[in-house]
Structure formats: structure tokens, C-alpha cells
Amino acid sequence: MNEDPLQKAISTAIKAGYQVDKETFDFMRTIPQTIDLEKLMATVIKEMELFSEKAMFIDLSLLEEEAEKIIRRLGDERSAEKSLISEAKKIDFHPYAKDIQTDLRVIEDPTDKIETAGTLEDYIDYFQDRFKRMNRLLRQRMDLKNAASVSEALKAANQKRMKIICMIIDKRESKRGIFLTVEDLESTATIYVPLDQKSSVAEKARSVLLDQVVCIDVIKGRNNLLIAEDLVFPEMPSRKPNRAPIPVCAALISDLHVGSKMFMEREFQQFILWLKGEFGDEKAKLTAGYVKYVVIGGDLVDGVGIYPQQLDELSIKDIYKQYETTAKIIENIPDYIEVIIIPGNHDATRRALPQPAIQRKYAEPLYEARKIYSLGDPSVINLHGVNILLSHGRSLDDVISSVPNMSFRRPSKAMKFLLQCRHLAPTYGQRTPIAPEKRDYLVIENTPDIFHTGHVHMMEYDTYRGTLILNSGAWQGQTEYQREMGHVPNPGIVPIVNLQTLEVIPLDFRSFSNQ
């Protein structure tokens, strides 16, 4: 893509380690086309390098001074002033969404409900609550209403067939078969899955995760051994999704990682210009006019001390300044657009799920910059009648590493698996930390119309039983860790969802041409 002069100038500043704030950016847009913006920026940077202490942002007063010098050298100051006024005129853009009344309801947010102390009793309460909630979901199926308990199955006569609802607490595979240790609120049992059975049963047993609650069709064998004939996941019901009554769009994004050297600031600034109707071709601008909501699914900043050697990849090494910079960026989103934010594992809140909203003491500038809806992870919102389940997606790591045939290149498959489990983090004790709350907020009790995650930096979408599954990718280039793991992300692509049709319009700001 050929960058225009303004983009080249901003790129020059970023490469030199400086940020460009809104006032400076707006001023640069008014500078006459006769001035070489890239050379002007290089001159200002050269002057700023002489400062005793390196600044974070390009000095606006110095930029104005250098621009004025060049205008004088051109010898026609009056003409230059007229050009400034002419260039400052905005593109005629009348966004449809500006006239739409906000229709946003927060259905679920764990922020003010978190209360765990981390005691042994809390852990017991947590797993009992998980089992009870999953048990209720499974028994909503007509064929599982009369499922037996584990103790009833153990007391049954040999060769009796029955269904039991249980939690998987251990799994071992041998040449003879797969052995599952299961329990409910009262008893424990061992279930044998023969490998010579129908392949689908063994495949289900291989994919089932520890701490997952399922229903298993069993036959009572000798010595209290139960033999599996089928495994039934809680699953999502097939249904027609809710849709908005009017054409209105939401931009679903995540993983900005502001503060990282790989943060794609130029592309994100182009995204904001696009929201304003100042970037992209006419078709893209028409789409921008329908965007009423921007939903950010976590990892607004890169944080500090999140992973080994992270400092080497940070352009901003102070988390307070990371949020200051984020605020300067986010505040440029048009004020008629509602911004909804949840945290990720890089943000300033507790690491364990469920996460409360990003802590204000770290991110005060973000809260002051403009109106935002700051929620916890997971949360459920309703936009014009469409229910959206928001979660950063930390547990996708565990699913992809534990379930056969999963890949970071296909996060939608892992998201589909979570919907089948009806749980956002089925396994306890792996990479995803889970706090032992008295209520398990990670159970997917209601069927979402849209399931939105991020985390794995791979924009992909699909549908499953009427639910739109969407991983929103990222705004961070490939990190050294990702390179070592062989993971090639596809950042800079924004999925725009038409809430009336649930159609996804992907916009690639890596190759977007400014018409």
C-alpha cells in the first residue's frame, strides 16, 4: 500500500519512538500540500533529539514553528494561510448511526459480584455450583430429564443401561481403552471407553476435558465398572438468532497492546479516521456511517511483567503511561459511537477469571477521556435485541493444546468447543487461572446470538447452531514469542457486524487504500 504524506510523517514519528496526539494530528491535516510532511517531521524530530529528556509525544509548538518557517520560505504567507483553511475542511460525512438512539443493556457483569477469599470452602462451593448449573442445563434436554446419579448407576444390576450426569476428574488412555474417573455431588466411579467401540465415542472421550460436566450413557459392568456407550455434551440448542430491527453495526475488536513496539498505531489511527468517514473508499465510508458500537475484547495495553523478556519489546515501560496513550487514542472515536470494554490478561486487573473491570486507579485517563462502558470478563450485553457474550478468550490456549485437531489458526473451532461445553474455561489448573467464586460465572447459561473473543490474535468467524462465533484478531504485529511458537497472526483486520443480518464485513487496514 502506498502511504499518503500524512501517514508517512506519522510513521516517521513512530519509528523514532514518538507518539502523535490528536491536536498534533489535526494540525498536520491542515498543513498545505505544498509542504513535505515527512521532511517537516524529520526536522522536528531532529530538534527534539536535542532535548535533555526525551518526550513521549511530538511537540506541537515546535511543529507549528517549523511549518511556519517553511511557509515563509515559500514567500506567500497569505496564500499559505488560505490553503490551511481550505485543507482543514472535513469530508462531507453524515453518519446514519449518529441519528440512532443507543440501545444497549448490560445483562451480565461480574465486576461488583466478585467476593472470593480463596479458602478451601470457596473451592468446594465453586465446583459444587458449577456441577449444579451444568446439571440443570443438561436436564433441560428431554432425553436427560431422568438421568441417574452415579451412586444409582453403581447400585444397578449388571448389564443395565442408564444415563448419568457427572464431572470428569481424571482421564487415562491405554491400549485397551480410555478410563474416565467421574463424580457427582455424592459418589465417584470409573467409566471404561473401549477403543473398539464406534470411533465417535472414543473421539469424544479423547476430547473431553478434566472438570468438564457431561452426560454419559453407560452399561453397568462387573466390579462396579461402568462401560460407556456414548458421551453427551451440554451443547447449544439449534435456534434462530435474535436480530436488530434496524440496520446498525458494531465493530468487534480486541488486543490493541498499546505500549508494545509491535502496536500497529498507524493502522489503528486509520481505523479511527475510517469511523469518522475520513479514510477509505466510498463503499467503506458508507459502512462506517452505520457503526454505532465499538466493542473491545481485552488487552488494551501490553502491560508490564506479563511474560519473560517483555521489557525488550515495550515502547512504553510504565503501565500508567500505557493507559494514558490508550486514552489519547480512544478519545478520538466519534462521541456518538458507544465504546464497550472488557479486560484481558495483559490489562490492569486480577488475572483470574472472572475478571472485574479494568481498575480505575491504573487507567484513570481512559475513564476520563470519553464515555465508556467498562465491564468484566465475561460479560453479556444486548445491542438492539442481539445478545453478545464477551470474553477475552484466555482459555482458548488450554482448549487448543488439550483437544485433538485444534489450532491457533482456527480459533473458531475452539470457540465452538466451549459452546458445546457450555463453559468458558472447562479445565481448572492449566494456563487459565480461575478464582473459586461461590457462583461459577463462566457457565454459558443462556444462548448468545454472538460469541466474541480475542486473545489468540487471529481474526476468524463462523456460525454454530445459530450463534455467530467471532474472534476479533489484534492490533499487534507478530511478537518474538509467537515467532518461536510458529504462530503467524493476522492483525489489523476489523470485523464489522451488521446486527440486523449478523453479516460480517471484514476490513483489512493493512492494505486499505485511502481513496
Side-chain angles (χ1 to χ4, degrees), residues 74-100:
L74 292 175
D76 191 356
E77 190 168 353
R78 285 187 179 180
S79 176
E81 288 174 0
K82 290 179 182 179
S83 180
L84 277 169
I85 295 171
S86 176
E87 292 292 326
K89 289 182 179 179
K90 294 184 177 180
I91 298 171
D92 189 18
F93 179 62
H94 299 288
Y96 165 85
K98 190 172 184 177
D99 299 323
I100 295 176

Side-chain angles (χ1 to χ4, degrees), residues 50-243:
L50 300 176
F51 293 175
S52 58
E53 184 175 346
K54 184 169 180 177
M56 180 183 299
F57 293 91
I58 290 295
D59 190 315
L60 176 58
S61 61
L62 186 57
L63 186 69
E64 291 173 337
E65 181 180 332
E66 290 298 327
E68 188 177 349
K69 287 179 184 178
I70 295 174
I71 291 172
R72 286 202 187 100
R73 283 201 300 268
L74 292 175
D76 191 356
E77 190 168 353
R78 285 187 179 180
S79 176
E81 288 174 0
K82 290 179 182 179
S83 180
L84 277 169
I85 295 171
S86 176
E87 292 292 326
K89 289 182 179 179
K90 294 184 177 180
I91 298 171
D92 189 18
F93 179 62
H94 299 288
Y96 165 85
K98 190 172 184 177
D99 299 323
I100 295 176
Q101 186 174 356
T102 297
D103 185 358
L104 187 161
R105 291 183 294 121
V106 178
I107 308 299
E108 288 283 351
D109 175 15
T111 300
D112 296 328
K113 304 172 185 176
I114 291 171
E115 57 182 0
T116 184
T119 65
L120 176 61
E121 289 75 16
D122 288 335
Y123 283 93
I124 294 172
D125 289 344
Y126 171 75
F127 280 104
Q128 287 184 345
D129 184 76
R130 173 188 288 201
F131 183 84
K132 290 173 182 177
R133 290 177 185 277
M134 298 303 301
N135 184 45
R136 284 197 295 269
L137 283 174
L138 282 159
R139 290 183 185 275
Q140 288 175 6
R141 295 176 48 144
M142 292 299 296
D143 57 334
L144 303 184
K145 283 185 177 294
N146 298 317
S149 66
V150 171
S151 62
E152 287 173 334
L154 293 174
K155 295 174 184 177
N158 285 352
Q159 301 305 308
K160 183 174 177 60
R161 286 178 167 82
M162 59 184 62
K163 296 178 173 65
I164 60 170
I165 295 174
C166 54
M167 179 180 289
I168 310 297
I169 60 174
D170 190 33
K171 180 171 69 171
R172 295 177 290 109
E173 183 170 356
S174 68
K175 293 180 180 179
R176 293 188 299 146
I178 301 170
F179 292 88
L180 302 175
T181 304
V182 304
E183 68 177 7
D184 58 13
L185 297 178
E186 299 175 351
S187 303
T188 303
T190 299
I191 298 179
Y192 171 57
V193 185
L195 295 182
D196 59 355
Q197 266 194 3
K198 296 178 182 179
S199 61
S200 62
V201 182
E203 287 175 6
K204 289 179 183 178
R206 287 192 178 98
S207 67
V208 74
L209 298 175
L210 299 186
D211 307 317
Q212 187 177 341
V213 179
V214 295
C215 178
I216 306 180
D217 287 352
V218 298
I219 298 177
K220 173 66 183 303
R222 291 178 297 175
N223 300 322
N224 282 339
L225 182 67
L226 303 176
I227 302 170
E229 290 200 312
D230 195 12
L231 275 77
V232 180
F233 283 27
E235 268 292 6
M236 306 294 292
S238 295
R239 54 186 278 280
K240 288 185 178 180
N242 297 304
R243 301 176 192 271

Side-chain angles (χ1 to χ4, degrees), residues 293-310:
Y293 306 93
V294 171
V295 182
I296 307 178
D299 282 0
L300 280 77
V301 299
D302 205 48
V304 179
I306 305 298
Y307 58 89
Q309 287 81 50
Q310 184 188 21

Side-chain angles (χ1 to χ4, degrees), residues 31 56 82 119 188 264 279 306 325 327 344 361 387 389 401 474 483:
I31 294 176
M56 180 183 299
K82 290 179 182 179
T119 65
T188 303
M264 299 164 63
F279 187 85
I306 305 298
T325 304
K361 67 178 181 179
N387 287 317
L389 172 59
S401 63
R483 192 175 292 109

Side-chain angles (χ1 to χ4, degrees), residues 413-428:
K413 291 183 66 177
M415 294 172 68
K416 173 184 173 181
F417 182 82
L418 294 180
L419 291 180
Q420 291 172 329
C421 296
R422 301 291 292 268
H423 202 280
L424 293 169
T427 300
Y428 195 96

Side-chain angles (χ1 to χ4, degrees), residues 362-380:
Y362 292 106
E364 184 70 26
L366 186 64
Y367 286 89
E368 296 296 331
R370 58 157 293 149
K371 177 186 175 184
I372 61 172
Y373 293 82
S374 184
L375 311 175
D377 177 7
S379 285
V380 178

Side-chain angles (χ1 to χ4, degrees), residues 218-465:
V218 298
I219 298 177
K220 173 66 183 303
R222 291 178 297 175
N223 300 322
N224 282 339
L225 182 67
L226 303 176
I227 302 170
E229 290 200 312
D230 195 12
L231 275 77
V232 180
F233 283 27
E235 268 292 6
M236 306 294 292
S238 295
R239 54 186 278 280
K240 288 185 178 180
N242 297 304
R243 301 176 192 271
I246 57 174
V248 59
C249 293
L252 304 184
I253 65 174
S254 66
D255 295 86
L256 279 66
H257 290 274
V258 174
S260 167
K261 291 178 180 178
M262 281 69 73
F263 169 50
M264 299 164 63
E265 181 170 10
R266 178 174 65 86
E267 288 82 356
F268 197 81
Q269 294 286 8
Q270 289 173 348
F271 165 61
I272 292 179
L273 286 175
W274 171 76
L275 289 172
K276 294 179 176 181
E278 300 173 12
F279 187 85
D281 58 27
E282 291 307 311
K283 183 178 180 181
K285 291 175 185 176
L286 180 64
T287 301
Y290 284 85
V291 176
K292 183 67 176 179
Y293 306 93
V294 171
V295 182
I296 307 178
D299 282 0
L300 280 77
V301 299
D302 205 48
V304 179
I306 305 298
Y307 58 89
Q309 287 81 50
Q310 184 188 21
L311 285 177
D312 296 336
E313 295 188 336
L314 289 178
S315 61
I316 305 174
K317 296 179 170 62
D318 183 303
I319 195 165
Y320 295 96
K321 292 182 179 179
Q322 288 180 6
Y323 278 112
E324 285 178 11
T325 304
T326 304
K328 289 181 181 293
I329 295 170
I330 297 299
E331 71 179 350
N332 291 321
I333 295 175
D335 57 7
Y336 67 85
I337 295 177
E338 304 290 0
V339 177
I340 303 100
I341 293 171
I342 67 168
N345 56 300
H346 284 247
D347 282 305
T349 188
R350 78 174 187 182
R351 301 289 295 278
L353 294 176
Q355 290 180 292
I358 297 171
Q359 293 188 48
R360 191 166 187 134
K361 67 178 181 179
Y362 292 106
E364 184 70 26
L366 186 64
Y367 286 89
E368 296 296 331
R370 58 157 293 149
K371 177 186 175 184
I372 61 172
Y373 293 82
S374 184
L375 311 175
D377 177 7
S379 285
V380 178
I381 60 174
N382 182 285
L383 301 180
H384 297 269
V386 178
N387 287 317
I388 306 177
L389 172 59
L390 306 175
S391 181
H392 180 61
R394 184 70 175 88
S395 70
L396 295 177
D397 290 342
D398 295 335
V399 173
I400 291 169
S401 63
S402 302
V403 179
N405 303 316
M406 295 288 176
S407 166
F408 283 104
R409 296 198 62 80
R410 293 294 311 278
S412 65
K413 291 183 66 177
M415 294 172 68
K416 173 184 173 181
F417 182 82
L418 294 180
L419 291 180
Q420 291 172 329
C421 296
R422 301 291 292 268
H423 202 280
L424 293 169
T427 300
Y428 195 96
Q430 291 194 10
R431 297 180 65 179
T432 306
I434 302 173
E437 298 292 332
K438 293 187 181 300
R439 171 188 165 185
D440 188 354
Y441 293 96
L442 307 180
V443 175
I444 306 174
E445 299 197 66
N446 298 304
T447 306
D449 301 306
I450 301 174
F451 178 27
H452 173 211
T453 65
H455 185 63
V456 296
H457 295 205
M458 201 72 189
M459 202 292 285
E460 192 199 19
Y461 58 94
D462 201 351
T463 56
Y464 180 65
R465 297 196 165 199

